[in-house]
């Protein structure tokens, strides 16, 4: 691998990030402390030439904020979209909330995260506690996705039908990988075209064989860069682990996101820059890295036109 000086490396990172998409970012306002809000995120991403960001909050859909930013800040290069996470505050598998998110231009429906039964089991052994739950909101209660016979529950199927009808993306959230397999298989039967496995490296219990198999069924595999970066308080893996995950799914089915916005760590943009540098150090070429930070997410979430516009406007 050729050794590059710092200036050349920074220039490569700049170029790779033109047209990038961060599809999983925890900007605020939020009930948990956030270091950056949705508008600040859009401004920071625009300066770097990002095509789009998709905000994620565990407790609300940000589609209204995204609409306000689009209306009042047409100068921003970066389009802001949002998602909905089917936790307790939303009402769990609430078809009205999912339909509303779709009608307002939302892009992703996440299965339960903090309210996933798997997450609540993981939380007991991990030592992790939602940074706001004990002071501001009652503790999460588990939302099941499977019935006693390990079949997908009817209320989940109703949401899957809405996702299919509106061509939204389905993300696995914090379900256990065994639940994700069943939900994804049911989703495909019901016509869902866009599926994303959320951070297999942490919480969800996924193996490299699971990553390989999920990718083979046509789903994308999304990795949270904050979990691989030296100096991140969320780091649980290293660069070689990232390489193994990418090799398991294949570059064409891999998406890199920041999963950042929290206090006490890098900004989402800095996380992306460090993540791209990590991929360069691992020996990946610029085109392959760009695919994992831009064009794959564009395919997963239907944002191809945003990527084209970002590249034109940057030049």
């Amino acid at each position: 691998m050729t050794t590059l000086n710092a200036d050349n490396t920074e220039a490569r990172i700049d170029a790779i990030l033109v047209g990038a998409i961060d599809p999983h970012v925890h900007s605020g306002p939020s009930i948990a402390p956030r270091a950056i809000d949705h508008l600040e995120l859009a401004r920071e991403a625009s300066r770097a030439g990002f095509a789009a960001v998709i905000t994620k909050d565990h407790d609300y859909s940000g589609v209204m904020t995204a609409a306000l930013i689009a209306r009042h800040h047409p100068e921003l290069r970066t389009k802001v979209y949002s998602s909905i996470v089917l936790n307790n505050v939303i009402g769990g598998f609430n078809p009205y909330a999912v339909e509303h998110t779709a009608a307002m231009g939302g892009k992703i429906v996440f299965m339960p995260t903090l309210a996933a039964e798997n997450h609540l089991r993981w939380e007991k052994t991990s030592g992790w506690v939602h940074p706001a739950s004990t002071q501001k909101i009652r503790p999460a209660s588990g939302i099941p996705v499977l019935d006693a016979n390990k079949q997908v529950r009817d209320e989940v199927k109703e949401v899957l039908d809405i996702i299919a009808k509106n061509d939204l993306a389905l993300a696995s959230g914090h379900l256990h990988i065994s639940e994700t397999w069943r939900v994804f298989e049911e989703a495909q039967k019901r016509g869902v075209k866009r599926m994303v496995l959320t951070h297999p490296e942490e919480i969800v219990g996924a193996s490299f064989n699971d990553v390989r198999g999920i990718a083979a069924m046509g789903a994308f595999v999304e990795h949270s860069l904050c979990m691989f970066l030296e100096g991140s308080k969320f780091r649980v893996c290293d660069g070689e682990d990232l390489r193994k995950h990418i090799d398991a799914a294949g570059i064409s089915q891999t998406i890199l996101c920041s999963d950042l916005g929290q206090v006490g760590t890098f900004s989402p943009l800095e996380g992306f820059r460090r993540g791209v540098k990590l991929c360069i150090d691992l020996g990946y070429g610029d085109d392959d890295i760009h695919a994992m930070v831009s064009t794959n997410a564009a395919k997963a979430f239907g944002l191809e036109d945003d990527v084209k516009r970002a590249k034109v406007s940057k030049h």
Side-chain angles (χ1 to χ4, degrees), residues 18-63:
V18 173
I21 295 169
D22 190 347
H24 184 148
V25 57
H26 289 287
S27 46
S30 175
I31 198 166
R34 298 300 185 219
I36 189 170
D37 67 32
H38 304 318
L39 181 54
E40 291 168 331
L41 170 70
R43 287 172 171 157
E44 183 179 83
S46 288
R47 287 191 291 270
F50 274 55
V53 294
I54 304 177
T55 67
K56 177 190 178 188
D57 192 275
H58 294 291
D59 297 311
Y60 72 92
S61 172
V63 290

Side-chain angles (χ1 to χ4, degrees), residues 186-307:
E186 184 66 33
Q188 280 195 324
K189 291 177 185 175
R190 307 183 89 82
V192 174
K193 303 297 184 186
R194 307 177 188 273
M195 300 187 298
V196 179
L197 171 61
T198 307
H199 53 58
E201 54 271 5
E202 176 73 327
I203 302 174
V204 305
S207 68
F208 291 118
N209 280 336
D210 289 313
V211 169
R212 191 173 293 110
I214 290 284
M217 73 187 301
F220 287 90
V221 180
E222 181 184 272
H223 299 294
S224 297
L225 288 169
C226 66
M227 297 180 183
F228 295 92
L229 297 176
E230 188 172 348
S232 168
K233 67 180 182 178
F234 301 112
R235 189 180 192 228
V236 293
C237 303
D238 61 20
E240 287 305 314
D241 294 313
L242 179 59
R243 186 202 302 278
K244 291 174 183 175
H245 275 289
I246 294 171
D247 289 347
I251 288 168
S252 65
Q253 295 303 120
T254 297
I255 293 171
L256 302 179
C257 70
S258 74
D259 203 352
L260 287 166
Q262 308 87 346
V263 297
T265 189
F266 323 124
S267 72
L269 176 57
E270 179 62 18
F272 256 83
R273 295 191 68 86
R274 293 183 183 220
V276 170
K277 174 64 163 54
L278 175 60
C279 290
I280 290 172
D281 291 344
L282 290 171
Y284 291 102
D286 294 15
D287 289 346
D288 287 342
I289 301 171
H290 184 72
M292 294 187 287
V293 301
S294 175
T295 50
N296 293 346
K299 293 174 186 174
F301 307 114
L303 303 177
E304 291 93 343
D305 288 343
D306 292 317
V307 171

Side-chain angles (χ1 to χ4, degrees), residues 43-278:
R43 287 172 171 157
E44 183 179 83
S46 288
R47 287 191 291 270
F50 274 55
V53 294
I54 304 177
T55 67
K56 177 190 178 188
D57 192 275
H58 294 291
D59 297 311
Y60 72 92
S61 172
V63 290
M64 298 302 192
T65 301
L68 282 170
I69 292 172
R71 178 177 178 180
H72 293 288
H73 294 278
E75 77 281 2
L76 295 176
R77 292 190 180 99
T78 303
K79 292 288 293 292
V80 179
Y81 298 99
S82 195
S83 59
I84 188 170
V85 186
L86 302 180
N87 285 327
N88 300 132
V89 180
I90 295 296
F93 291 99
N94 179 349
Y96 297 97
V98 178
E99 287 178 340
H100 182 269
T101 297
M104 287 297 298
K107 292 296 180 183
I108 309 171
V109 178
F110 283 88
M111 290 288 103
T113 55
L114 306 187
E117 292 179 318
N118 173 67
H119 177 97
L120 295 175
R121 291 191 297 268
W122 170 83
E123 200 174 282
K124 290 177 182 177
T125 59
S126 70
W128 185 91
V129 178
H130 189 291
S133 62
T134 55
Q135 299 101 10
K136 299 178 183 177
I137 191 170
R138 68 183 66 196
S141 58
I143 299 174
V145 295
L146 305 180
D147 62 22
N149 297 315
K150 303 299 182 184
Q151 301 301 307
V152 177
R153 296 170 67 93
D154 288 343
E155 56 264 41
V156 181
K157 293 177 182 177
E158 186 173 8
V159 166
L160 295 178
D161 288 341
I162 297 168
I163 293 171
K165 179 181 177 181
N166 291 279
D167 197 26
L168 299 173
L170 165 66
S172 60
H174 292 189
L175 301 185
H176 190 268
I177 191 64
S178 60
E179 298 171 314
T180 294
W181 273 109
R182 291 191 176 274
V183 170
F184 278 14
E185 288 165 352
E186 184 66 33
Q188 280 195 324
K189 291 177 185 175
R190 307 183 89 82
V192 174
K193 303 297 184 186
R194 307 177 188 273
M195 300 187 298
V196 179
L197 171 61
T198 307
H199 53 58
E201 54 271 5
E202 176 73 327
I203 302 174
V204 305
S207 68
F208 291 118
N209 280 336
D210 289 313
V211 169
R212 191 173 293 110
I214 290 284
M217 73 187 301
F220 287 90
V221 180
E222 181 184 272
H223 299 294
S224 297
L225 288 169
C226 66
M227 297 180 183
F228 295 92
L229 297 176
E230 188 172 348
S232 168
K233 67 180 182 178
F234 301 112
R235 189 180 192 228
V236 293
C237 303
D238 61 20
E240 287 305 314
D241 294 313
L242 179 59
R243 186 202 302 278
K244 291 174 183 175
H245 275 289
I246 294 171
D247 289 347
I251 288 168
S252 65
Q253 295 303 120
T254 297
I255 293 171
L256 302 179
C257 70
S258 74
D259 203 352
L260 287 166
Q262 308 87 346
V263 297
T265 189
F266 323 124
S267 72
L269 176 57
E270 179 62 18
F272 256 83
R273 295 191 68 86
R274 293 183 183 220
V276 170
K277 174 64 163 54
L278 175 60

